[in-house]
């Protein structure tokens, strides 16, 4: 008998057989009910502008006013605002907002140089330039917490006294190429009040000059006034615990050297240009030798102004004898 003679149509039986209702064959699979259901893709924000926004703040706040508010935010506050909703996210990516932040931060490079750099290195994206290019943060203080063990004087005692000494190095930078420097045992919440350009002589806040290279290295120089002028030269490297954070400064070198008072009086430029080309062991005052310091080189940690009162660096030695900056 040939095969066409025994052909059987099994389509009706197969169509009546439903896997979703066959509990005796397998476990219940509710996701099978979603098969064949097509979901429309999420449209970009620009296509939603014609639809009414259910959020009350978006109904009362026009887009032009929202951009004006974002323009007055710091870049880090702008990044937090971009996490609120989709509309704020797309508004915060306005190139004008990040262009103003970049031109203010790297104003010493010049507007023309910044425009050429953003086109050649960062695909004409000011936001990408802000995230990837090394920079120094100016919205807070860089703090280096240093501790060491000091042996006390023992007289007629069987136990030897040991003291833990804690002191801080403070740095505040300005976009004009100036910085403030202070060494003090005072906590961050107390020092932040006097770290400004109008600080009095009693605050012991010293002003210097700095430059930032393209690879993230900072060259700094400041002058300690006194009976003999002492010049402090520092070399730091900026880095971040996350991409774009720039919240750490590694200390590469700290040098103190002497400078001639006559040479200093005739100099009209900044201090950093005066010591350009000097060797590390070079001094211009025989009474003040050149010294390369090997202690107190703990990395600097960035503390924003709004977190100065709540920072962990305010803890006393009894609660935190050593701090690991990370």
């Amino acid at each position: 008998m040939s095969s066409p003679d025994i052909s059987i149509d099994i389509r009706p039986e197969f169509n009546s057989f439903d896997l979703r209702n066959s509990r005796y064959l397998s476990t219940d699979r509710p996701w099978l009910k979603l098969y064949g259901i097509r979901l429309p893709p999420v449209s970009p924000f620009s296509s939603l502008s014609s639809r009414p926004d259910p959020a009350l703040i978006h109904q009362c706040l026009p887009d032009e006013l929202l951009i004006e508010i974002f323009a007055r935010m710091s870049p880090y506050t702008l990044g937090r605002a971009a996490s609120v909703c989709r509309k704020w996210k797309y508004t915060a990516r306005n190139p004008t907002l990040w262009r103003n932040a970049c031109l203010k931060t790297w104003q010493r490079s010049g507007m023309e140089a910044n425009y050429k750099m953003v086109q050649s290195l960062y695909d004409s994206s000011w936001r990408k330039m802000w995230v990837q290019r090394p920079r120094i943060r100016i919205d807070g203080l860089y703090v280096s917490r240093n501790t060491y063990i000091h042996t006390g004087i023992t007289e007629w005692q069987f136990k030897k006294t040991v003291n833990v000494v804690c002191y801080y190095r403070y740095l505040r930078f300005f976009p004009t190429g100036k910085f403030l420097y202070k060494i003090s045992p005072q906590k961050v919440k107390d020092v932040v009040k006097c770290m400004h350009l109008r600080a009095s002589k009693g605050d012991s806040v010293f002003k210097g000059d700095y430059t930032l290279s393209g690879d993230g290295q900072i060259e700094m120089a400041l002058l300690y006034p006194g009976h003999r002028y002492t010049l402090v030269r520092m070399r730091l490297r900026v880095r971040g615990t996350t991409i774009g954070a720039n919240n750490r400064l590694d200390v590469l070198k700290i040098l103190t050297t002497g400078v001639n008072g006559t040479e200093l009086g005739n100099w009209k430029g900044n201090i950093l240009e005066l010591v350009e080309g000097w060797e590390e062991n070079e001094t211009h005052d025989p009474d003040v030798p050149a010294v390369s310091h090997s202690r107190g080189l703990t990395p600097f940690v960035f503390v924003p102004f709004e977190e100065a009162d709540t920072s962990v660096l305010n803890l006393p030695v009894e609660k935190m004898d050593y701090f690991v900056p990370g």
Side-chain angles (χ1 to χ4, degrees):
M1 185 181 292
S2 59
S3 57
D5 296 335
I6 59 172
S7 60
I8 302 175
D9 189 6
I10 62 172
R11 286 178 294 178
E13 290 80 358
F14 184 80
N15 294 334
S16 62
F17 184 74
D18 191 359
L19 288 176
R20 294 177 292 180
N21 300 326
S22 303
R23 299 179 180 274
Y24 56 88
L25 292 178
S26 61
T27 58
D28 187 21
R29 300 175 182 176
W31 57 85
L32 292 176
K33 299 179 180 179
L34 300 177
Y35 289 171
I37 300 178
R38 297 180 178 273
L39 298 177
V42 179
S43 56
F45 177 75
S46 58
S47 61
L48 299 177
S49 58
S50 58
R51 303 180 184 179
D53 200 329
L56 181 61
I57 187 174
H58 296 164
Q59 297 178 7
C60 302
L61 193 64
D63 296 343
E64 295 79 6
L65 187 57
L66 184 62
I67 293 179
E68 289 296 328
I69 295 175
F70 282 1
R72 287 161 174 79
M73 292 183 179
S74 65
Y76 293 93
T77 307
L78 188 62
R80 298 188 187 101
S83 304
V84 173
C85 62
R86 190 191 307 173
K87 180 176 181 179
W88 286 23
K89 176 183 177 181
Y90 281 91
T91 306
R93 293 192 176 184
N94 192 320
T96 306
L97 304 176
W98 299 101
R99 181 192 62 190
N100 297 337
C102 292
L103 294 179
K104 181 180 179 181
T105 302
W106 294 288
Q107 59 181 268
R108 299 188 66 197
S109 302
M111 184 177 298
E112 184 178 356
N114 286 324
Y115 270 94
K116 291 181 179 179
M117 185 174 295
V118 72
Q119 293 175 0
S120 59
L121 301 179
Y122 303 102
D123 302 328
S124 300
S125 174
W126 292 99
R127 183 175 178 272
K128 185 177 180 180
M129 179 179 178
W130 173 265
V131 173
Q132 297 183 2
R133 185 179 177 182
R135 69 183 183 279
I136 301 175
R137 298 185 60 171
I138 59 176
D139 56 333
L141 302 179
Y142 285 95
V143 185
S144 173
R145 186 179 188 270
N146 300 272
T147 55
Y148 64 92
I149 303 298
H150 177 70
T151 305
I153 300 176
T154 58
E155 294 182 357
W156 306 101
Q157 294 180 3
F158 295 99
K159 295 183 179 180
K160 197 171 185 179
T161 305
V162 177
N163 301 317
V164 180
V165 182
C166 177
Y167 69 96
Y168 301 83
R169 298 180 189 269
Y170 295 97
L171 286 173
R172 181 184 178 183
F173 294 91
F174 296 90
T176 57
K178 302 292 182 180
F179 75 94
L180 300 178
Y181 178 69
K182 180 180 176 65
I183 298 180
S184 174
Q186 295 177 323
K187 303 296 188 297
V188 183
K189 60 182 179 181
D190 300 323
V191 175
V192 70
K193 303 174 184 178
C194 64
M195 291 294 289
H196 51 80
L197 295 175
R198 299 183 301 274
S200 62
K201 181 181 286 188
D203 294 328
S204 299
V205 178
F206 301 96
K207 184 172 64 174
D209 303 286
Y210 77 92
T211 58
L212 175 64
S213 60
D215 57 353
Q217 286 200 13
I218 309 172
E219 294 289 341
M220 310 169 61
L222 64 93
L223 188 66
Y224 274 143
H227 180 66
R228 293 187 179 91
Y229 289 102
T230 302
L231 189 66
V232 181
R233 301 161 60 189
M234 290 185 287
R235 185 179 299 116
L236 311 177
R237 181 177 60 244
V238 60
R239 63 179 175 89
T241 53
T242 58
I243 299 178
N246 297 283
N247 54 357
R248 296 292 187 271
L249 292 179
D250 294 328
V251 182
L252 305 180
K253 185 77 67 174
I254 296 181
L255 304 171
T256 55
T257 183
V259 60
N260 193 342
T262 305
E263 180 184 11
L264 185 63
N266 298 330
W267 184 257
K268 301 301 182 182
N270 58 42
I271 302 299
L272 198 59
E273 295 175 352
L274 176 64
V275 300
E276 186 177 359
W278 285 22
E279 300 294 336
E280 293 186 357
N281 57 352
E282 182 178 355
T283 180
H284 289 207
D285 189 351
D287 296 330
V288 183
V291 178
S292 177
H293 298 269
S294 59
R295 296 182 179 181
L297 305 182
T298 305
F300 287 83
V301 178
F302 183 78
V303 179
F305 289 127
E306 58 269 17
E307 300 178 7
D309 294 334
T310 60
S311 175
V312 296
L313 294 175
N314 292 312
L315 293 176
V317 181
E318 296 81 12
K319 296 184 179 180
M320 185 174 62
D321 54 351
Y322 187 76
F323 176 73
V324 180

